[in-house]
């Protein structure tokens, strides 16, 4: 049977993608941010996951004000990098896993989650930057990817509780898929940042690290954080962290931390990264 072996969370800052693409990762400014992913690159090479369910948000590349799905799952064969205004990133095309994706879509909808099913879309930095951080610059991504897009751009975004519950439903869906697959769930976005207005450049390191603490162990306190707290404490874009709760919900009752990284600043935000495994799977 398919199994969720681990969860990964990471910022998806577009400037990290630019630094990678332009081979600036060893420069003094960027080196500390990228160094925190060295452990994960080695670990992923050892783990060799078959599929990553990658939770991210689109930045007006596939969706705009004409259509705003709260939750959308990619069931297609492949997804090309999006042109975000300066040409597509020079990274591999993202290969999907339609069989598992359709199975998850069916399971989630029958489990009373109203998913939007997407068969064709371009994917932007929200999805491709995490792949670069975990896998570097390969000729082809070494894993199949199921994109799961969440609306955290236009009000109202889903609640943290609903995201956590969606993660739990994803775990049930994966566990009912008969093929033997090593699956990871990634939550991306965040951490604290605000891109506009009087508080532009806001970073709340104390809050960010408390959030990282809350992902580890058997507490579910993070699922109950209200929208207003994200806005007040982490800026207008900090709401992206609800996507990390989909990953956490998919890992079951309790987790342990395999790796953790936090660095400020990178561009105008905080870099957060954590690797978790469900304790039920520990021998």
């Amino acid at each position: 049977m398919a199994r969720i072996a681990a969860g990964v969370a990471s910022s998806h800052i577009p400037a990290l993608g630019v630094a990678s693409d332009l081979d600036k990762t060893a420069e003094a400014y960027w080196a500390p941010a990228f160094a925190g992913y060295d452990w994960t690159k080695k670990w992923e090479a050892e783990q060799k996951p078959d599929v990553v369910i990658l939770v991210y948000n689109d930045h007006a590349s596939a969706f705009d004000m004409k259509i705003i799905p709260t939750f959308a799952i990619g069931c297609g064969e492949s997804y090309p990098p999006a042109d975000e205004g300066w040409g597509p990133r020079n990274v591999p095309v993202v290969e999907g896993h339609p069989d598992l994706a359709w199975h998850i879509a069916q399971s989630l909808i029958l489990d009373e989650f109203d998913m939007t099913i997407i068969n064709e879309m371009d994917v932007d930095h929200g999805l491709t930057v995490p792949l670069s951080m975990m896998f570097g610059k390969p000729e082809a991504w070494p894993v199949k990817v199921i994109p799961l897009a969440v609306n955290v751009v236009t009000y109202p975004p889903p609640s943290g509780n609903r995201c956590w519950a969606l993660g739990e439903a994803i775990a049930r869906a994966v566990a009912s898929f008969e093929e033997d697959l090593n699956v990871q769930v990634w939550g991306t976005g965040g951490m604290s940042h605000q891109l506009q207005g009087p508080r532009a450049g806001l970073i709340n390191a104390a809050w960010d690290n408390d959030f990282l603490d809350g992902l580890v162990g058997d507490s579910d306190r993070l699922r109950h954080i209200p929208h207003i707290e994200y806005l007040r404490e982490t800026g207008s874009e900090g709401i992206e962290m609800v996507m990390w709760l989909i990953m956490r919900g998919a890992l079951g009752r309790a987790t342990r931390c395999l790796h953790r990284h936090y660095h400020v600043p990178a561009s105008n935000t905080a870099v957060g990264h954590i690797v978790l495994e469900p304790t039920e799977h520990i021998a």
Side-chain angles (χ1 to χ4, degrees):
M1 306 293 282
R3 67 204 181 280
I4 295 174
V8 177
S10 175
S11 302
H12 61 213
I13 303 163
L16 293 175
V18 174
S20 174
D21 297 346
L22 299 180
D23 296 320
K24 294 180 177 289
T25 60
E27 293 185 0
Y29 181 84
W30 292 110
F34 281 87
Y37 291 83
D38 290 343
W39 184 94
T40 310
K41 287 180 180 178
K42 296 176 183 176
W43 176 80
E44 289 285 9
E46 296 167 355
Q47 295 298 305
K48 294 182 172 60
D50 299 302
V51 183
V52 167
I53 300 169
L54 204 158
V55 185
Y56 76 109
N57 67 286
D58 177 76
H59 302 79
S61 298
F63 311 122
D64 57 23
M65 294 304 291
K66 295 177 183 177
I67 180 168
I68 308 170
T70 299
F71 298 120
I73 184 169
C75 294
E77 294 279 353
S78 62
Y79 310 94
D83 184 347
E84 299 182 63
W86 48 85
R89 288 188 67 206
N90 185 25
V91 295
V93 170
V94 175
E95 299 296 333
H97 196 298
D99 289 346
L100 179 58
W102 276 103
H103 173 84
I104 292 172
Q106 172 183 282
S107 181
L108 293 179
I109 291 168
L110 296 181
D111 212 359
E112 301 186 351
F113 285 87
D114 298 322
M115 306 299 295
T116 298
I117 295 171
I118 305 292
N119 292 312
E120 294 184 9
M121 67 175 173
D122 295 351
V123 290
D124 65 19
H125 72 267
L127 187 141
T128 62
V129 165
L131 290 171
S132 295
M133 301 307 290
M134 276 16 118
F135 298 124
K137 301 177 75 171
E139 291 187 9
W141 300 122
V143 67
K144 305 290 188 182
V145 175
I146 296 175
L148 200 156
V150 180
N151 170 41
V152 290
V153 175
T154 303
Y155 189 83
S159 69
N161 186 60
R162 189 60 171 167
C163 287
W164 190 294
L166 178 59
E168 293 173 329
I170 289 170
R172 292 191 292 270
V174 171
S176 66
F177 191 68
E178 294 185 355
E179 187 178 347
D180 182 18
L181 293 174
N182 179 343
V183 179
Q184 294 181 3
V185 181
W186 294 7
T188 74
M191 295 190 89
S192 61
H193 62 300
Q194 180 154 326
L195 302 180
Q196 69 288 308
R199 295 202 304 165
L202 180 149
I203 293 175
N204 188 340
W207 199 98
D208 287 345
N209 278 285
D210 182 68
F211 188 90
L212 290 167
D213 291 342
L215 294 169
V216 183
D218 61 2
S219 171
D220 68 348
R221 65 181 174 87
L222 298 182
R223 71 190 298 174
H224 304 298
I225 298 171
H227 285 156
I228 191 64
E229 182 174 338
Y230 285 102
L231 181 62
R232 182 182 65 243
E233 300 295 335
T234 72
S236 54
E237 278 71 47
I239 190 63
E240 290 180 349
M241 282 182 280
V242 298
M243 297 188 290
W244 295 32
L245 301 184
I246 296 176
M247 174 277 292
R248 175 59 188 87
L251 297 184
R253 188 186 66 83
T255 63
R256 74 179 182 99
C257 179
L258 301 181
H259 176 64
R260 177 168 167 169
H261 171 54
Y262 185 79
H263 173 74
V264 293
S267 185
N268 59 353
T269 184
V271 177
H273 173 44
I274 196 166
V275 180
L276 304 170
E277 72 174 1
T279 57
E280 296 92 329
H281 294 174
I282 299 174

